Amino acid sequence: MEYQGGLMESTAVDFATDVNLADFSLGSHHNESTAREMAPAQSLDLYDRLCDFASFGNRTLSFWESMPVLNRLGDPGKEELKTSPLLDRPKRKRMITYAQRQAANIRERKRMFNLNEAFDQLRKKVPTFAYEKRLSRIETLRLAIVYISFMTELLDSYQKKDGCSGLG
DNA sequence: TAGGCCATCTGGTCCT
DNA sequence: AGGACCAGATGGCCTA
């Protein structure tokens, strides 16, 4: 569990701090030039990175190999798992009936349905782009990360500029 | 046709 | 014991 948590945390940090995504153009309800005018200078770098959404998928193999988080999942990591005390424990063999397996399948389908509903809600919250096809799940997550970073930085810069201490 | 994305099934693990 | 969660495997669909 501790290992898993660390992995997720560092992966999120990598996504949030080193995002360079694929080409896209802003959609109809997000006018690019207007958004640029609205964005303070400090935000333009992040804005450009948002507008650069896509070369993320074009990372070279050496880039991925350079990521320490992923390297931990390589062969040495597997060896660690193989020899971990956790896996040395005798495996519990759970006998399961056909009906139970079917019920589990239905629950899993429902779980994935809920997950996809959440993805759909997230798709509606992030800016839409002139894609012919809808965002995939991974694209949605990556774009949401960049979008949140952009909006956070935008808010910070406005607060600094106006000298206000907060909204509340 | 290869590669990406997704749905589904499945077995293992964790948690209540 | 059983549900939730997760990851691997597999097959279908779509696009370049």
Side-chain angles (χ1 to χ4, degrees), chain A residues 4 8 92 94 100 103 107-108 111 132-133:
Chain A
Q4 197 175 28
M8 288 182 66
R92 286 183 295 169
R94 193 151 127 193
Q100 283 175 320
R107 284 195 305 273
E108 178 66 9
R111 194 181 72 84
E132 306 89 46
K133 63 185 183 75

Coordinates of all heavy atoms in Angstrom, one line a residue, chain A residues 4 8 92 94 100 103 107-108 111 132-133, chain C residues 1-8 14-16:
Chain A
Q4 N 2.4 1.7 -3.4 CA 1.4 2.1 -4.3 C 1.1 3.6 -4.2 O 1.0 4.4 -5.1 CB 0.1 1.3 -4.1 CG -0.8 1.4 -5.3 CD -2.0 0.5 -5.1 OE1 -2.4 0.3 -4.0 NE2 -2.6 0.0 -6.2
M8 N 1.6 6.7 -7.0 CA 0.6 7.6 -7.5 C 1.0 9.0 -7.2 O 0.8 9.9 -8.1 CB -0.7 7.2 -6.8 CG -1.3 6.0 -7.3 SD -2.9 5.6 -6.5 CE -3.9 7.0 -7.2
R92 N -4.7 -17.4 -0.3 CA -6.0 -17.8 0.1 C -6.7 -18.2 -1.2 O -6.9 -17.4 -2.1 CB -6.8 -16.7 0.7 CG -6.4 -16.4 2.1 CD -7.2 -15.3 2.7 NE -7.1 -14.1 2.1 CZ -7.9 -13.0 2.2 NH1 -8.9 -13.1 3.0 NH2 -7.6 -11.9 1.6
R94 N -10.0 -18.7 -2.8 CA -11.4 -18.5 -2.5 C -12.3 -19.2 -3.5 O -12.3 -18.9 -4.7 CB -11.7 -17.0 -2.6 CG -13.0 -16.6 -2.0 CD -13.0 -15.2 -1.4 NE -14.0 -14.4 -1.9 CZ -14.0 -13.0 -1.8 NH1 -13.0 -12.4 -1.3 NH2 -15.0 -12.3 -2.3
Q100 N -21.8 -16.5 -8.1 CA -21.1 -15.5 -7.4 C -20.2 -14.8 -8.5 O -20.0 -13.5 -8.4 CB -20.2 -16.1 -6.3 CG -21.0 -16.4 -5.1 CD -20.2 -17.1 -4.0 OE1 -19.4 -17.9 -4.3 NE2 -20.4 -16.7 -2.8
A103 N -22.3 -12.5 -10.4 CA -22.6 -11.3 -9.6 C -21.4 -10.3 -9.6 O -21.6 -9.1 -9.6 CB -23.1 -11.7 -8.2
R107 N -21.2 -6.4 -10.8 CA -20.7 -5.3 -9.9 C -19.6 -4.6 -10.6 O -19.5 -3.4 -10.5 CB -20.3 -5.9 -8.6 CG -21.4 -6.3 -7.6 CD -20.9 -6.5 -6.2 NE -19.8 -7.4 -6.1 CZ -20.0 -8.7 -6.0 NH1 -21.2 -9.2 -5.9 NH2 -18.9 -9.5 -5.9
E108 N -18.7 -5.4 -11.2 CA -17.5 -4.7 -11.9 C -18.0 -3.9 -13.0 O -17.5 -2.8 -13.2 CB -16.6 -5.8 -12.3 CG -15.4 -5.3 -13.1 CD -14.4 -4.5 -12.2 OE1 -14.6 -4.5 -11.0 OE2 -13.5 -3.8 -12.7
R111 N -19.4 -0.8 -11.6 CA -18.3 0.1 -11.1 C -17.6 0.8 -12.2 O -17.3 2.1 -12.1 CB -17.2 -0.8 -10.4 CG -16.2 0.0 -9.5 CD -15.2 -0.9 -8.9 NE -14.3 -1.5 -9.8 CZ -13.2 -0.9 -10.2 NH1 -12.9 0.3 -9.7 NH2 -12.4 -1.4 -11.1
E132 N -12.0 16.0 -33.7 CA -13.1 15.4 -34.3 C -13.7 14.4 -33.3 O -14.9 14.2 -33.3 CB -12.7 14.6 -35.6 CG -11.9 15.5 -36.6 CD -10.4 15.4 -36.3 OE1 -9.9 14.4 -36.1 OE2 -9.8 16.5 -36.4
K133 N -12.9 13.8 -32.6 CA -13.4 12.8 -31.6 C -13.2 13.3 -30.2 O -12.5 14.2 -29.9 CB -12.7 11.5 -31.8 CG -11.2 11.5 -31.5 CD -10.5 10.2 -31.8 CE -9.1 10.1 -31.4 NZ -8.8 10.0 -30.0
Chain C
dA1 P -15.7 -18.4 4.6 OP1 -16.2 -19.5 5.3 OP2 -14.7 -18.3 3.6 O5' -16.9 -17.4 4.2 C5' -18.1 -17.3 5.0 C4' -18.9 -16.1 4.5 O4' -18.2 -14.9 5.0 C3' -18.9 -15.9 3.0 O3' -20.2 -15.4 2.6 C2' -17.8 -14.9 2.7 C1' -17.8 -14.1 3.9 N9 -16.5 -13.5 4.2 C8 -15.3 -14.2 4.2 N7 -14.3 -13.5 4.6 C5 -14.8 -12.2 4.9 C6 -14.3 -11.0 5.3 N6 -13.0 -10.9 5.6 N1 -15.1 -10.0 5.5 C2 -16.4 -10.1 5.2 N3 -17.0 -11.2 4.8 C4 -16.2 -12.3 4.6
dG2 P -20.6 -15.5 1.1 OP1 -22.1 -15.9 1.1 OP2 -19.6 -16.3 0.4 O5' -20.5 -14.0 0.7 C5' -21.2 -13.0 1.5 C4' -20.7 -11.6 1.1 O4' -19.3 -11.4 1.6 C3' -20.6 -11.4 -0.4 O3' -21.1 -10.1 -0.7 C2' -19.1 -11.5 -0.7 C1' -18.5 -10.9 0.6 N9 -17.1 -11.2 0.9 C8 -16.5 -12.4 0.7 N7 -15.2 -12.3 1.1 C5 -15.0 -11.0 1.5 C6 -13.9 -10.4 2.1 O6 -12.8 -10.9 2.2 N1 -14.2 -9.1 2.4 C2 -15.4 -8.4 2.3 N2 -15.4 -7.2 2.6 N3 -16.4 -9.0 1.8 C4 -16.2 -10.3 1.4
dG3 P -21.6 -9.7 -2.1 OP1 -23.1 -9.7 -2.0 OP2 -20.9 -10.5 -3.1 O5' -21.2 -8.2 -2.2 C5' -21.4 -7.3 -1.2 C4' -20.3 -6.2 -1.2 O4' -19.1 -6.7 -0.7 C3' -20.1 -5.6 -2.6 O3' -20.0 -4.1 -2.4 C2' -18.7 -6.1 -3.0 C1' -18.0 -6.3 -1.6 N9 -17.0 -7.4 -1.6 C8 -17.2 -8.7 -2.0 N7 -16.1 -9.4 -1.8 C5 -15.2 -8.5 -1.3 C6 -13.8 -8.7 -1.0 O6 -13.1 -9.7 -1.0 N1 -13.2 -7.5 -0.5 C2 -13.9 -6.3 -0.4 N2 -13.1 -5.3 0.1 N3 -15.1 -6.1 -0.7 C4 -15.7 -7.3 -1.2
dA4 P -19.8 -3.2 -3.7 OP1 -20.7 -2.0 -3.5 OP2 -19.9 -4.0 -4.9 O5' -18.3 -2.8 -3.5 C5' -17.9 -2.2 -2.3 C4' -16.4 -1.7 -2.5 O4' -15.5 -2.8 -2.3 C3' -16.1 -1.0 -3.8 O3' -15.3 0.1 -3.5 C2' -15.4 -2.1 -4.6 C1' -14.7 -2.9 -3.5 N9 -14.6 -4.3 -3.8 C8 -15.5 -5.2 -4.2 N7 -15.1 -6.4 -4.4 C5 -13.8 -6.4 -4.0 C6 -12.8 -7.4 -3.9 N6 -13.0 -8.7 -4.2 N1 -11.6 -7.0 -3.4 C2 -11.4 -5.7 -3.1 N3 -12.2 -4.7 -3.1 C4 -13.4 -5.1 -3.6
dC5 P -14.9 1.1 -4.7 OP1 -14.7 2.4 -4.1 OP2 -15.8 0.8 -5.9 O5' -13.4 0.6 -5.1 C5' -12.5 0.4 -4.1 C4' -11.2 -0.3 -4.6 O4' -11.5 -1.7 -4.7 C3' -10.7 0.2 -6.0 O3' -9.4 0.7 -5.9 C2' -10.8 -1.0 -6.9 C1' -10.7 -2.1 -5.8 N1 -11.4 -3.4 -6.3 C2 -10.6 -4.6 -6.2 O2 -9.4 -4.5 -5.8 N3 -11.2 -5.8 -6.6 C4 -12.5 -5.8 -7.0 N4 -13.0 -7.0 -7.4 C5 -13.2 -4.6 -7.0 C6 -12.7 -3.4 -6.7
dC6 P -8.8 1.5 -7.1 OP1 -7.9 2.6 -6.5 OP2 -9.8 1.9 -8.1 O5' -7.8 0.4 -7.7 C5' -7.0 -0.3 -6.8 C4' -6.4 -1.5 -7.6 O4' -7.4 -2.5 -7.7 C3' -5.9 -1.2 -9.0 O3' -4.5 -1.3 -9.1 C2' -6.6 -2.2 -9.9 C1' -7.1 -3.2 -8.9 N1 -8.4 -3.9 -9.3 C2 -8.4 -5.3 -9.5 O2 -7.3 -5.9 -9.3 N3 -9.5 -5.9 -9.8 C4 -10.7 -5.2 -9.9 N4 -11.8 -5.8 -10.3 C5 -10.7 -3.8 -9.8 C6 -9.5 -3.2 -9.4
dA7 P -3.7 -0.7 -10.3 OP1 -2.5 0.0 -9.7 OP2 -4.6 0.1 -11.1 O5' -3.3 -1.9 -11.1 C5' -2.7 -3.0 -10.4 C4' -2.7 -4.3 -11.3 O4' -4.0 -4.8 -11.4 C3' -2.2 -4.0 -12.7 O3' -1.4 -5.1 -13.2 C2' -3.5 -4.0 -13.5 C1' -4.4 -5.0 -12.7 N9 -5.8 -4.8 -12.8 C8 -6.5 -3.6 -12.9 N7 -7.8 -3.8 -13.0 C5 -8.0 -5.2 -13.0 C6 -9.1 -6.0 -13.1 N6 -10.4 -5.5 -13.2 N1 -8.9 -7.3 -13.1 C2 -7.7 -7.8 -13.0 N3 -6.6 -7.1 -12.9 C4 -6.8 -5.8 -12.9
dG8 P -0.5 -4.9 -14.4 OP1 0.9 -5.0 -14.0 OP2 -1.0 -3.8 -15.2 O5' -0.8 -6.3 -15.2 C5' -0.9 -7.5 -14.5 C4' -1.6 -8.5 -15.3 O4' -3.0 -8.3 -15.2 C3' -1.3 -8.5 -16.8 O3' -1.1 -9.8 -17.3 C2' -2.6 -7.9 -17.5 C1' -3.7 -8.3 -16.5 N9 -4.8 -7.4 -16.4 C8 -4.8 -6.1 -16.2 N7 -6.0 -5.6 -16.2 C5 -6.8 -6.6 -16.3 C6 -8.3 -6.7 -16.4 O6 -9.1 -5.7 -16.3 N1 -8.7 -8.0 -16.6 C2 -7.9 -9.1 -16.7 N2 -8.6 -10.2 -16.9 N3 -6.6 -9.1 -16.6 C4 -6.1 -7.8 -16.5
dC14 P -16.8 0.9 -35.3 OP1 -18.1 1.7 -35.2 OP2 -16.7 -0.1 -36.5 O5' -15.6 1.9 -35.4 C5' -15.3 2.6 -34.2 C4' -14.0 3.4 -34.4 O4' -12.9 2.4 -34.2 C3' -13.8 4.0 -35.8 O3' -13.4 5.3 -35.6 C2' -12.7 3.1 -36.4 C1' -11.9 2.6 -35.2 N1 -11.2 1.3 -35.4 C2 -9.8 1.3 -35.0 O2 -9.3 2.3 -34.6 N3 -9.2 0.1 -35.2 C4 -9.9 -1.0 -35.7 N4 -9.2 -2.1 -35.8 C5 -11.2 -0.9 -36.0 C6 -11.9 0.3 -35.9
dT15 P -13.5 6.3 -36.9 OP1 -14.2 7.5 -36.4 OP2 -13.9 5.6 -38.1 O5' -11.9 6.7 -37.1 C5' -11.1 7.0 -35.9 C4' -9.7 7.0 -36.3 O4' -9.2 5.6 -36.3 C3' -9.3 7.6 -37.7 O3' -8.2 8.4 -37.5 C2' -9.0 6.4 -38.5 C1' -8.4 5.4 -37.5 N1 -8.5 4.0 -37.8 C2 -7.4 3.2 -37.6 O2 -6.4 3.6 -37.2 N3 -7.6 1.8 -38.0 C4 -8.7 1.2 -38.5 O4 -8.8 0.1 -38.8 C5 -9.9 2.1 -38.7 C7 -11.1 1.6 -39.3 C6 -9.7 3.4 -38.4
dA16 P -7.9 9.6 -38.6 OP1 -8.1 10.8 -37.9 OP2 -8.6 9.3 -39.8 O5' -6.3 9.4 -38.9 C5' -5.4 9.1 -37.8 C4' -4.2 8.4 -38.3 O4' -4.5 7.0 -38.5 C3' -3.6 8.9 -39.6 O3' -2.2 8.9 -39.6 C2' -4.1 7.9 -40.7 C1' -4.2 6.6 -39.8 N9 -5.1 5.7 -40.3 C8 -6.4 5.9 -40.8 N7 -7.1 4.9 -41.1 C5 -6.2 3.8 -40.9 C6 -6.3 2.4 -41.0 N6 -7.4 1.8 -41.5 N1 -5.2 1.7 -40.7 C2 -4.1 2.3 -40.2 N3 -3.9 3.6 -40.0 C4 -5.0 4.3 -40.4

